[in-house]
């Protein structure tokens, strides 16, 4: 918590990027990559915002995998950006959706998709699996079949 207080100068929202220590780190980091962003909490968000230049954060996550609410994870941080970022990058940020799965067989993906289409909703998992009756969060097989001996690995 001391790091946060140093970087944001007393938690004043208008001073998040004004502290000299935050500015030093802002100049140092060209890019900031955040994995498992769906499990970030507000303290982490303030720290990352304080050292970001406003256009150099790359966040990866899947709100359906959020498991750390018991340690103050705030999936709403992810959902807010997921809602406000666009696929063309116009506006607040660029959203890149990664639905291709390279680790699972086709039949595993189909079962997973069918289950989640039935149960995943805004109320249950913080995100709708479908929109206007069309599946939008469906996993797609990304692996192309291997030639010869491996071609039966579907």
């Amino acid at each position: 918590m001391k790091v946060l207080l140093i970087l944001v100068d007393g938690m004043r929202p208008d001073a998040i990027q004004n502290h000299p220590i935050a500015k030093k780190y802002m100049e140092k980091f060209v890019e900031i990559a955040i994995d498992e962003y769906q499990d970030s909490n507000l303290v982490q968000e303030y720290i990352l915002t304080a050292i970001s230049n406003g256009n150099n954060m790359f966040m990866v996550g899947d709100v359906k995998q959020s498991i750390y609410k018991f340690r103050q994870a705030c999936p709403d941080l992810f959902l807010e950006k997921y809602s406000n970022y666009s696929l063309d990058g116009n506006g607040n940020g660029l959203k890149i959706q990664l639905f291709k799965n390279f680790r699972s067989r086709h039949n595993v993906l189909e079962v997973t998709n069918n289950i989640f289409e039935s149960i995943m909703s805004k109320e249950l998992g913080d995100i709708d699996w479908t929109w206007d009756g069309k599946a939008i969060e469906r996993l797609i097989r990304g692996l192309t079949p291997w030639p010869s001996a491996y071609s039966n690995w579907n």
Side-chain angles (χ1 to χ4, degrees), residues 11-23:
M11 299 279 293
R12 289 190 350 256
D14 61 329
I16 286 177
Q17 295 184 350
N18 292 335
H19 197 283
I21 294 174
K23 284 185 177 184

Side-chain angles (χ1 to χ4, degrees), residues 27-56:
E27 293 167 4
K28 181 177 181 168
F29 297 122
V30 176
E31 296 173 347
I32 301 171
I34 309 153
D35 195 14
E36 303 294 347
Y37 185 66
Q38 75 278 357
D39 288 321
S40 295
N41 61 42
L42 287 172
V43 172
Q44 293 165 324
E45 182 74 0
Y46 273 116
I47 292 170
L48 294 167
T49 301
I51 62 174
S52 169
N53 68 18
N55 195 29
N56 66 338

Side-chain angles (χ1 to χ4, degrees), residues 59 80-87 90 92-95:
M59 297 151 284
E80 182 266 328
K81 288 176 178 66
Y82 189 85
S83 296
N84 291 327
Y85 287 14
S86 64
L87 295 172
N90 292 331
N92 297 324
L94 175 65
K95 176 177 19 182

